[in-house]
């Protein structure tokens, strides 16, 4: 039983870490998108990951960013396990898997595939989109709460932290926006406004409507991909059915991980 | 013809349809298999349950299926059938002009057949454009910039070879250039569905109409920006429209953006048949209203008059379809009588 608990704790930790990896294009956790088909802690503590994207054609640089994220997540596991990550059914799966097995650095494997792509710039673009999308959810949430534009735009971090939302998009994005803000502006003082543009400029209350319209454009694009990817993933691999969220402790103890839940109609 | 619940007849031009063969027999390699599977995933992911097809029918359907789904069960009056060759993936091509022209010959009043060419073929592409004009008298072409061609995994509208082709199209009166700009897939580093090349090409070729299929989604903001500046850029609703079923509020946001930026004259209906059939799309679109808060924020409404433009009048203008004459011709067509 003690062993089962240890392995259960490790499974939990594994899924928690994987859940922190986002699809960079959608800003949604890869575990929620169902891209991690299998994540298993073996008896010897080593970890095996099977990773599958919604289409064979997904851009390799997006695949790279996610697999790189998975690797970083695995490197942070408390028991420092050996691990194997396998990409399935992607047009470059073979090259990627071979490279990974040969112990090649990720950058080297993908440099060949991604030609002249500047992944640093791509990361920056995605970070900006995530920042904007999360921010929009909070701005709309606060407006729906009845706060005036002036109140919202004058909000500082302590005020932000005590705000409470009904379950929904704003509630979900609240900690995520906080993280994005502090990552973007690490030296931010607590009394500075929470809602500024990606460039760090304040938004005048009179300009909030126009600014929200701009943010909505960002979200519309990201949602399009998200909805499409979910649909494609569901259809393409419905025979396997993906892990939906975090398994519970019971599942780990009963060795039922990953749980394969039938989609709810 | 679509008859609304209020009894009004609406003329429908379906701007984006296909007559493909994605069957295993025609697949050249794994890429061909994966390509049609990706389409099938779109189909199953966004269609109402009762509209789903078997995989085998989806891979290869008959000319009769096509005719029935568009014009008998479906409300289309005229369908623009696009060509997408994908010769690196399919032995006889995926959706060639020969195959399209064959079915159009049986029902000449119903179809407008568009060609396709690949600028990377250089001189041969120019010869081929002449061939398309002389043989099929095409009025439009479909450009699939992510198409593979040997070592190349895609091209841009602004490539010098592409410009030579567009100059020729302009000279020959091939006015309607449908460009696929949709979800991000390959090729690799260069995003072949990035919409910025449209900006340059549309500016440099004012005599051509640039119809951007899928409205550039998921790059709607870029697309809107370009289409607002360029008077000759249009948006095709294929792939955006099916969200009206799965995620109606989301569709409301998309159409509100398009109406705000492009206006009602520059949006074109397209079913993307056989990924989706037109009947349910037209019915749902006619019944649709943009949610109040979104409409208020953008200051736009989807009125009946605007719907009529999107469903047919706009495309009819681009393709010089005389609607009254066409109605008469269709009324005397034995097929439409047989159907009713």
């Amino acid at each position: 039983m003690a062993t089962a608990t240890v392995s259960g704790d490790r499974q939990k930790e594994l899924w928690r870490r994987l859940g922190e990896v986002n699809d960079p294009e959608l800003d949604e956790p890869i575990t929620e998108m169902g891209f991690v088909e299998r994540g298993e802690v073996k008896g010897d503590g080593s970890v095996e990951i099977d990773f599958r994207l919604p289409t064979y054609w997904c851009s390799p640089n997006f695949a790279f960013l996610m697999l790189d994220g998975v690797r970083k997540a695995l490197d942070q596991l408390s028991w420092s396990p050996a691990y194997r990550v396998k990409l399935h059914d992607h047009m470059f799966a073979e090259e990627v898997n071979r490279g990974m097995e040969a112990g090649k650095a990720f950058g080297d494997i993908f440099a060949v595939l991604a030609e002249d792509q500047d992944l640093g710039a791509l990361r920056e673009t995605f970070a900006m989109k995530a920042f904007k999308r999360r921010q929009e959810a909070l701005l709309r949430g606060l407006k729906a709460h009845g706060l005036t534009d002036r109140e919202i735009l004058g909000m500082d971090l302590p005020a932000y932290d005590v705000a409470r939302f009904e379950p929904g998009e704003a509630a979900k994005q609240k900690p995520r926006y906080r993280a994005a803000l502090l990552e973007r502006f690490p030296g931010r003082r607590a009394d500075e406004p929470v809602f500024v543009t990606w460039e760090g400029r304040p938004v005048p209350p009179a300009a909030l409507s126009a600014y929200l319209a701009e943010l909505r454009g960002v979200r519309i694009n990201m949602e399009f991909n998200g909805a499409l990817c979910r649909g494609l993933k569901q259809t393409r691999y419905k025979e396997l059915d993906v892990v939906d969220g975090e398994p519970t402790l019971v599942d780990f103890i009963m060795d039922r991980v990953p749980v394969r839940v039938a989609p709810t109609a | 013809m679509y008859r609304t619940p209020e009894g009004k007849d609406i003329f429908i031009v379906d701007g984006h349809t296909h007559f493909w063969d994605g069957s295993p027999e025609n697949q050249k390699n794994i890429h061909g298999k994966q390509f049609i599977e990706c389409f099938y995933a779109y189909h199953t992911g966004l269609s109402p349950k009762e509209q789903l097809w078997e995989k085998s029918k989806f891979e290869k359907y008959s000319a009769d299926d096509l005719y029935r789904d568009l014009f008998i069960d479906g409300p289309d009056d005229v369908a623009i059938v696009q060509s997408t060759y994908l010769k690196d993936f399919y032995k006889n091509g995926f959706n060639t002009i020969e195959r399209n022209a064959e079915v159009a010959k049986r029902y000449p009043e119903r179809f407008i057949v568009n060609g396709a060419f690949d600028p990377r073929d250089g001189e041969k592409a120019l010869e081929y454009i002449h061939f398309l004009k002389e043989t099929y008298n095409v009025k439009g072409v479909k450009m699939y910039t992510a198409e593979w061609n040997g070592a190349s995994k895609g091209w841009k509208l602004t490539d010098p070879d592409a410009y030579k082709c567009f100059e020729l199209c302009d000279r020959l009166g091939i006015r309607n250039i449908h460009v696929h700009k949709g979800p991000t897939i390959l090729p690799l580093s260069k995003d072949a569905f990035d919409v910025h090349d449209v900006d340059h090409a549309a500016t440099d070729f004012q005599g051509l109409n640039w119809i951007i299929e899928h409205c550039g989604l998921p790059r709607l903001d870029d697309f809107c920006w370009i289409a607002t500046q360029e008077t000759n850029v249009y948006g095709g609703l294929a792939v955006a429209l099916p969200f009206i079923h799965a995620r109606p509020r989301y569709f409301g946001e998309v159409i509100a953006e398009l109406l705000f930026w492009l206006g009602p004259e520059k949006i074109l209906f397209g079913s993307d048949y056989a990924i989706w059939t037109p009947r349910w799309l037209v019915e749902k679109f006619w019944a649709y209203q943009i949610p109040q808060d979104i409409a208020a924020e953008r200051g736009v409404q989807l009125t009946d008059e605007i719907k009529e433009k999107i469903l047919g009048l706009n495309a009819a203008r681009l393709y010089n379809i005389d609607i009254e004459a066409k109605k008469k011709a269709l009324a005397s067509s034995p097929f439409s009588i047989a159907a009713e």
Side-chain angles (χ1 to χ4, degrees), chain A residues 25 55-62 89-92 112-117 129 136 140 209 212-214 216-228 231-233 235-238 265, chain B residues 30-32 34-35 37-38 40-42 44-46 49 89 148 153 182-191 214 216-222 239-240 243 247 250 253-254 257 293-294 297-298:
Chain A
E25 200 186 14
T55 84
Y56 179 76
W57 309 100
C58 287
S59 250
N61 41 33
F62 297 171
D89 282 347
H90 187 273
M91 56 176 311
F92 289 111
V112 185
L113 301 175
E115 294 172 11
D116 54 349
Q117 184 79 44
K129 288 184 174 179
E136 191 219 9
R140 287 190 188 277
S209 285
L212 271 173
E214 180 199 321
R216 184 174 49 197
V218 174
R219 172 171 52 82
I220 289 175
N221 288 336
M222 294 173 85
E223 267 188 41
F224 176 79
N225 278 336
L228 213 55
L232 298 184
K233 179 81 180 115
T235 301
R236 197 159 172 237
Y237 301 113
K238 60 174 172 276
Chain B
I30 174 84
H31 308 309
Q34 295 286 356
F35 190 84
E37 278 186 3
C38 185
Y40 191 61
Y42 282 16
T44 50
L46 290 176
K49 250 196 246 129
F89 296 174
W148 291 17
K153 305 288 187 245
T184 307
I185 55 167
L186 284 187
L188 324 181
S189 56
K190 294 176 206 77
D191 180 353
H214 323 310
L217 279 163
R219 301 163 204 82
L220 186 68
D221 46 352
D222 290 344
V239 183
F243 279 91
R247 301 189 59 194
Y250 177 70
E253 293 194 301
V254 172
E257 289 297 304
D293 59 320
I294 299 171
E297 239 182 279
R298 268 306 185 209

Side-chain angles (χ1 to χ4, degrees), chain A residues 103-180:
Chain A
K104 273 205 226 164
F106 252 47
D108 293 340
I109 301 169
F110 277 87
V112 185
L113 301 175
E115 294 172 11
D116 54 349
Q117 184 79 44
D118 178 355
L119 284 169
L122 196 61
R123 266 186 226 275
E124 165 101 359
T125 302
F126 287 134
M128 174 188 72
K129 288 184 174 179
F131 176 91
K132 289 183 173 178
R133 183 182 188 181
R134 296 174 189 185
Q135 187 183 59
E136 191 219 9
L138 269 302
L139 289 172
R140 287 190 188 277
L142 290 165
K143 271 176 94 85
H145 232 29
L147 270 69
T148 66
D149 293 356
R150 189 166 296 279
E151 285 168 335
I152 293 169
L153 295 166
M155 193 173 242
D156 61 12
L157 211 47
Y160 179 86
D161 287 340
V162 297
R164 289 282 169 272
F165 296 94
E166 297 291 309
E169 198 52 23
K172 184 180 149 197
Q173 297 295 351
K174 190 174 170 241
R176 291 163 63 83
Y177 176 65
R178 191 185 205 280

Side-chain angles (χ1 to χ4, degrees), chain B residues 88-336:
Chain B
D88 277 26
F89 296 174
Y90 294 95
K91 293 174 197 158
N92 302 317
F94 182 60
N95 182 197
T96 59
I97 192 160
E98 287 82 8
R99 193 170 152 83
N100 291 332
E102 196 55 37
V103 63
K105 209 155 66 186
R106 287 167 62 183
Y107 316 105
E109 288 295 342
R110 290 295 192 183
F111 290 101
I112 293 171
V113 177
N114 278 354
F117 56 81
D118 189 334
R120 290 166 296 187
D121 296 339
E123 279 301 316
K124 282 211 159 55
L126 298 173
E127 281 168 30
Y128 190 66
I129 294 169
H130 279 290
F131 166 82
L132 287 175
K133 186 67 194 175
E134 284 156 22
T135 316
Y136 301 107
N137 191 23
V138 296
K139 298 188 170 51
V141 286
K142 173 77 184 289
M143 299 286 94
Y144 197 69
T145 52
E147 183 156 353
W148 291 17
N149 189 340
S152 164
K153 305 288 187 245
W155 57 280
K156 286 204 168 297
L157 300 176
T158 45
D159 291 346
D161 282 339
Y163 263 40
K164 281 187 202 147
C165 292
F166 297 137
E167 275 159 20
L168 183 58
C169 287
D170 204 358
R171 219 168 57 227
L172 297 179
I174 302 172
R175 300 244 168 270
N176 298 311
I177 316 290
H178 294 249
V179 188
H180 174 111
K181 291 287 184 187
T184 307
I185 55 167
L186 284 187
L188 324 181
S189 56
K190 294 176 206 77
D191 180 353
F193 294 148
D194 178 280
V195 296
H196 286 98
D197 52 346
V198 173
D199 196 358
H200 299 278
T203 305
D204 291 337
F205 294 95
Q206 293 287 332
L208 301 178
N209 302 313
W210 299 85
I211 301 127
I212 307 310
E213 299 297 347
H214 323 310
C215 306
L217 279 163
R219 301 163 204 82
L220 186 68
D221 46 352
D222 290 344
F223 168 71
C224 285
W225 184 246
I226 291 164
T228 305
Q229 291 179 49
E230 308 291 340
T231 51
N232 53 340
V233 172
Y234 297 77
L237 282 181
V239 183
L241 187 51
F243 279 91
I244 204 168
H245 162 69
R247 301 189 59 194
R249 189 178 160 81
Y250 177 70
F251 176 74
E253 293 194 301
V254 172
I255 196 79
E257 289 297 304
L258 291 171
L259 286 170
F260 178 81
W261 292 102
L262 276 69
E265 317 282 338
K266 292 171 66 179
I267 306 170
L268 272 58
F269 164 66
S271 65
D272 228 343
Y273 183 86
I275 307 186
W276 297 286
T277 46
R279 186 165 65 90
W280 69 271
L281 289 169
V282 169
E283 283 172 356
K284 279 186 192 273
F285 185 67
W286 191 263
Y288 187 79
Q289 285 304 327
I290 300 172
Q292 205 53 55
D293 59 320
I294 299 171
E297 239 182 279
R298 268 306 185 209
V300 293
Q301 288 293 343
L302 194 53
T303 62
D304 287 1
E305 195 191 348
I306 291 175
K307 287 173 185 168
E308 197 170 355
K309 287 181 180 174
I310 293 174
L311 286 171
L313 302 185
N314 291 341
R317 204 171 62 243
L318 294 184
Y319 279 87
N320 296 319
I321 300 170
D322 177 338
I323 293 178
E324 288 315 310
K326 182 61 88 179
K327 278 182 185 166
K328 276 200 197 103
L330 292 174
S332 63
S333 137
F335 283 99
S336 86

